[in-house]
Amino acid sequence: ETHGISFRIQISVKELLDTDVLLKLLFHLPVNYPSTLPDISVNSDQLTRAQCMDVKDKLLEQAKKHLSEPMVHDLILWVQQHLKDVIKQSATVCNEKTALSKGTEDGIWMLLLHLDHMRAKAKYVKTVEKWASNLRLTGRLMFMGKIILILLQGYRSSIKEYLILQKTSKVDVDSSGKKCKEKMMSVLCETEIQSQHKRFQTFEIKEYSALEELQKEFEAAGLKTLFSEFVPPLFK
């Protein structure tokens, strides 16, 4: 009666790279709602803080159009339909702001991942290729016997975004054939690229028949130490 009511709603929205984004929306409806705008809080593990703030600002803009009428349902429908555009807009503004400082603040990083298995290999490989392309990451998806490695190079923010996609998207199928998330991935190394490391120009899928072949791939890229530290232990 004096404070109004608060409630949380969780919704899943399809985002830019065909992955689901889980949005947690907290609404506080004051006593004289809907004559007064609600307070809205937006959280998501898959979005940056700045993107969450942008979504909140856009929701409040929409709320003003519905003043004096119940609006929560309309706001949720709106965010489900427009989240993609808000994030695209947010990314454009962010890119413009950081274009000049990209080299210093973001830096070029490298990521080495180990996957336990791929049941739906063709679909999985296609998904990884698509993510790498969309995020402008270069590197290799490497198969050697039962060992599966993903080596990526690119801006740190893109590497982070890739990791989120890899952990939260349904990329494979389980033993019963149902779509499932990647639960058996390990991050072997995540580090800034050094002067002795060579940059991959493209992202390629490669199969190796012997450990020596795999080793040569790493050594050609100036990654001899990375190889010796992380790859041989996987074969034990």
Side-chain angles (χ1 to χ4, degrees):
E1 287 178 10
T2 54
H3 299 294
I5 60 165
S6 296
F7 55 91
R8 185 186 297 277
I9 294 177
Q10 286 200 158
I11 54 168
S12 191
V13 188
K14 273 265 182 276
E15 209 261 303
L16 295 172
L17 302 172
D18 297 328
T19 178
D20 290 341
V21 171
L22 191 66
L23 279 185
K24 297 164 191 168
L25 307 170
L26 184 66
F27 288 91
H28 172 247
L29 309 184
V31 180
N32 43 1
Y33 167 86
S35 304
T36 306
L37 290 179
D39 286 323
I40 305 170
S41 169
V42 179
N43 281 292
S44 174
D45 292 338
Q46 288 118 304
L47 301 181
T48 63
R49 191 74 213 117
Q51 286 172 326
C52 288
M53 290 299 287
D54 284 343
V55 174
K56 173 188 166 175
D57 291 343
K58 294 290 182 191
L59 279 172
L60 286 171
E61 273 178 32
Q62 289 303 309
K64 285 173 188 167
K65 297 177 185 176
H66 295 280
L67 205 56
S68 300
E69 57 187 68
M71 63 183 81
V72 173
H73 183 250
D74 289 318
L75 294 179
I76 286 166
L77 289 178
W78 186 89
V79 81
Q80 285 178 315
Q81 289 163 2
H82 295 90
L83 180 68
K84 205 181 274 194
D85 303 324
V86 176
I87 290 171
K88 258 189 190 169
Q89 214 173 351
S90 176
T92 307
V93 172
C94 180
N95 287 343
E96 285 169 3
K97 282 182 187 168
T98 58
L100 295 170
S101 59
K102 195 85 171 165
T104 51
E105 281 182 22
D106 211 356
I108 302 297
W109 279 59
M110 179 167 58
L111 178 71
L112 181 62
L113 301 175
H114 173 234
L115 301 182
D116 186 74
H117 61 273
M118 285 183 181
R119 282 201 177 92
K121 185 176 174 181
K123 178 184 175 290
Y124 204 133
V125 168
K126 205 172 169 185
T127 303
V128 170
E129 273 188 297
K130 183 177 160 192
W131 289 343
S133 168
N134 287 341
L135 294 167
R136 295 182 182 171
L137 296 171
T138 60
R140 300 284 183 267
L141 169 52
M142 302 177 275
F143 296 92
M144 210 245 105
K146 289 187 176 178
I147 299 293
I148 307 167
L149 297 170
I150 301 176
L151 179 60
L152 295 170
Q153 294 177 343
Y155 284 125
R156 191 179 190 186
S157 54
S158 299
I159 293 272
K160 295 281 183 200
E161 207 169 319
Y162 179 91
L163 268 175
I164 291 169
L165 288 169
Q166 183 80 58
K167 288 173 184 172
T168 58
S169 308
K170 290 184 177 178
V171 285
D172 207 2
V173 295
D174 60 19
S175 52
S176 62
K178 271 178 67 180
K179 286 182 179 180
C180 66
K181 293 177 184 175
E182 178 56 73
K183 294 190 178 74
M184 298 183 76
M185 173 192 82
S186 49
V187 178
L188 300 179
C189 179
E190 187 180 352
T191 183
E192 194 160 10
I193 283 186
Q194 305 303 315
S195 54
Q196 71 270 25
H197 301 148
K198 289 181 185 160
R199 293 285 308 277
F200 291 111
Q201 297 306 306
T202 56
F203 181 80
E204 295 174 30
I205 290 91
K206 290 200 166 186
E207 303 226 8
Y208 307 85
S209 52
L211 189 58
E212 292 73 29
E213 278 182 42
L214 190 57
Q215 188 170 352
K216 278 180 189 167
E217 181 80 75
F218 276 80
E219 287 178 359
L223 302 172
K224 187 176 181 178
T225 311
L226 185 78
F227 176 87
S228 56
E229 191 174 342
F230 296 105
V231 182
L234 299 174
F235 289 85
K236 287 173 184 171

